[in-house]
């Protein structure tokens, strides 16, 4: 069972979004790993590899701000371009009683995104707390081949 909220507000070329999600399994004894909730990856605890955390209970909240810095037009990068950042906090827990803000992963990212003819693309720098090695990665959002 999951519960999610997403709210966003745009003002001119700026957008601010807040989202929160939480979930829990209703089974007392979990035998199918496909029922575990994954966390990790871009805007889903960005400082971690995609789906690197899994558990029967999860919670995550994120605040994302981005600004359109290019509108497309003539030139080499003739695509809409965005610069943004995110703040994220979340975790997975084996027991619901363990869920509290004090034992969440706190992550942040800075990204540049482009709406290309191949679909959305972004370059991301991220980090997490407790400290993990921050790194740059190129991620592909949207349809891939």
């Amino acid at each position: 069972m999951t519960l999610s909220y997403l709210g966003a507000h745009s003002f001119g070329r700026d957008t601010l979004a807040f989202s929160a999600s939480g979930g829990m399994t209703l089974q007392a004894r979990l035998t199918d790993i496909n029922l575990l909730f994954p966390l990790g990856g871009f805007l889903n605890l960005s400082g971690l590899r995609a789906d690197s955390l899994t558990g029967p209970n999860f919670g995550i909240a994120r605040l994302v701000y981005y600004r359109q810095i290019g509108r497309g037009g003539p030139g080499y990068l003739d695509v809409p371009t965005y610069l943004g950042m995110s703040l994220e906090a979340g975790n997975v827990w084996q027991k619901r009683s363990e869920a509290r803000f004090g034992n969440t992963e706190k992550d942040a990212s800075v990204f540049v995104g482009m709406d290309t003819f191949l679909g959305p693309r972004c370059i991301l720098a991220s980090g997490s707390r407790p400290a993990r090695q921050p790194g740059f990665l190129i991620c592909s959002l949207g349809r891939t081949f």
Side-chain angles (χ1 to χ4, degrees):
M1 178 170 75
T2 61
L3 180 66
S4 297
Y5 170 80
L6 171 63
H9 180 70
S10 292
F11 37 98
R13 297 186 317 175
D14 300 293
T15 299
L16 184 64
F18 172 80
S19 65
S21 301
M24 63 181 157
T25 56
L26 300 176
Q27 297 176 356
R29 177 165 243 152
L30 198 59
T31 56
D32 185 0
I33 62 168
N34 293 319
L35 297 176
L36 297 176
F37 296 104
L39 285 180
F42 182 54
L43 299 181
N44 201 27
L45 296 179
S46 296
L48 304 175
R49 281 190 311 252
D51 302 337
S52 61
L53 296 177
T54 58
N57 305 288
F58 86 102
I60 185 168
R62 59 188 77 78
L63 183 65
V64 180
Y65 166 80
Y66 61 91
R67 178 176 178 82
Q68 186 175 14
I69 58 174
R71 296 179 189 252
Y76 182 67
L77 295 175
D78 62 345
V79 296
T81 305
Y82 304 87
L83 176 64
M85 64 162 289
S86 72
L87 300 173
E88 308 149 33
N91 208 346
V92 297
W93 299 278
Q94 295 303 311
K95 299 177 185 175
R96 285 187 287 269
S97 60
E98 297 172 345
R100 63 177 87 45
F101 185 76
N103 65 5
T104 58
E105 296 274 339
K106 283 88 171 174
D107 292 12
S109 69
V110 176
F111 57 90
V112 175
M114 292 177 243
D115 190 6
T116 71
F117 67 94
L118 296 173
R121 303 286 183 241
C122 77
I123 299 172
L124 162 75
S126 64
S128 68
R129 190 163 176 86
R132 298 193 194 302
Q133 180 177 348
F136 287 90
L137 59 108
I138 298 174
C139 63
S140 174
L141 302 177
R143 190 173 183 172
T144 58
F145 299 99

